[in-house]
């Protein structure tokens, strides 16, 4: 009887630890001011250079999102971008730039880095989404069809994590992977003329 008691409690304790480990691996990062998000970009500028794109969340409240951004190379540009609350909710365009000039000005009805929440919800329901995608010197209207749920592996505070994500693709081959988080649907990876993916998130 004593042996059964300890065995059952050992099993329960093991299940608890396993559950805690699973939650730790999938728990969403807190996207609060001070959070750093680093992306690796391939052929991301007009000359086809690779570089890191680093942003720091400076402000996130009911008025919108403000972040500072910088590029590691080749020209180490940097700046600040402000995304309005109404665009974060229902913008019709996505500025898929990890480049200098586009990050110094952003048209109304566009967002960047994070997807418009309305578009995210449509993909989550399995519905196609049409967005104006700004790329370098042009804007292309694309319709993205849901391509299924997945997990996306990256470093969060130095620890490898697999976070839930949605994927979508357009007929011309462009595609996105988006964090499955309605309050902050971060673009985790994109592929069009160039490729970019988030490699690390560091919280304060």
């Amino acid at each position: 009887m004593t042996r059964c008691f300890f065995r059952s409690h050992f099993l329960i304790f093991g299940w608890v630890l396993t559950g805690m480990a699973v939650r730790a691996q999938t728990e969403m990062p807190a996207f609060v001011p001070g959070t750093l998000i680093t992306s690796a970009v391939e052929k991301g500028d007009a000359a086809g250079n690779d570089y890191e794109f680093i942003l720091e969340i400076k402000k996130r409240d009911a008025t919108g999102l403000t972040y500072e951004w910088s590029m590691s190379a080749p020209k180490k540009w940097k700046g600040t971008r402000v995304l309005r609350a109404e665009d974060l909710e229902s913008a019709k365009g996505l500025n898929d730039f990890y480049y200098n000039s586009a990050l110094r000005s952003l048209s109304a009805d566009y967002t960047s880095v994070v997807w418009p929440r309305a578009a995210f919800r449509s993909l989550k329901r399995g519905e196609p989404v049409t967005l104006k995608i700004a790329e370098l010197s042009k804007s292309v209207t694309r319709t993205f069809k849901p391509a299924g749920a997945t997990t996306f592996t990256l470093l969060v505070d130095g620890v490898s994590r697999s976070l839930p994500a949605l994927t979508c693709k357009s007929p011309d081959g462009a595609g996105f992977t988006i964090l499955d988080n309605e309050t902050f649907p971060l673009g985790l990876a994109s592929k069009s003329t160039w490729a970019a993916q988030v490699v690390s998130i560091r919280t304060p």
Side-chain angles (χ1 to χ4, degrees):
M1 184 177 191
T2 302
R3 183 180 299 172
C4 291
F5 174 82
F6 282 111
R7 179 179 297 172
S8 63
H9 278 67
F10 177 78
L11 289 173
I12 291 171
F13 182 66
W15 291 337
V16 170
L17 289 179
T18 301
M20 291 172 64
V22 170
R23 285 196 299 273
Q25 288 297 311
T26 59
E27 184 179 356
M28 290 293 173
F31 294 101
V32 296
T35 298
L36 293 172
I37 302 172
T38 301
S39 298
V41 185
E42 297 179 7
K43 299 180 180 179
D45 67 3
N49 291 297
D50 301 341
Y51 53 86
E52 283 190 335
F53 178 82
I54 304 166
L55 71 86
E56 179 180 358
I57 298 175
K58 304 302 289 185
K59 180 181 178 183
R60 183 184 173 204
D61 57 23
T63 65
L65 171 69
T66 300
Y67 67 80
E68 292 182 351
W69 61 271
S70 63
M71 293 169 58
S72 63
K75 296 188 178 180
K76 297 188 177 182
W77 284 302
K78 60 182 179 180
T80 301
R81 172 173 274 184
V82 178
L83 305 179
R84 305 179 308 167
E86 55 265 42
D87 293 329
L88 290 169
E89 175 58 31
S90 57
K92 303 301 182 186
L94 178 68
N95 199 320
D96 188 32
F97 273 109
Y98 294 82
Y99 186 45
N100 64 320
S101 59
L103 290 167
R104 290 174 180 169
S105 61
L106 184 65
S107 302
D109 205 29
Y110 275 83
T111 185
S112 71
V113 178
V114 292
W115 267 57
R117 285 189 287 268
F120 169 84
R121 288 192 292 268
S122 292
L123 290 176
K124 184 91 170 175
R125 292 192 298 265
E127 301 168 357
V129 170
T130 299
L131 289 175
K132 296 174 290 184
I133 307 296
E135 297 180 345
L136 294 179
S137 60
K138 62 181 180 179
S139 180
V140 180
T141 298
R142 289 191 172 105
T143 297
F144 295 93
K145 292 184 178 180
T150 187
T151 56
F152 187 89
T153 302
L154 72 165
L155 294 177
V156 179
D157 294 328
V159 178
S160 180
R161 299 268 295 275
S162 295
L163 299 180
L166 304 180
T167 59
C168 63
K169 292 182 179 179
S170 65
D172 64 357
F176 286 88
T177 302
I178 308 153
L179 184 66
D180 190 355
N181 180 349
E182 184 176 345
T183 61
F184 202 86
L186 175 67
L188 294 171
S190 64
K191 183 178 181 181
S192 54
T193 308
W194 59 86
Q197 71 174 39
V198 175
V199 294
S200 70
I201 297 172
R202 184 166 294 277
T203 58

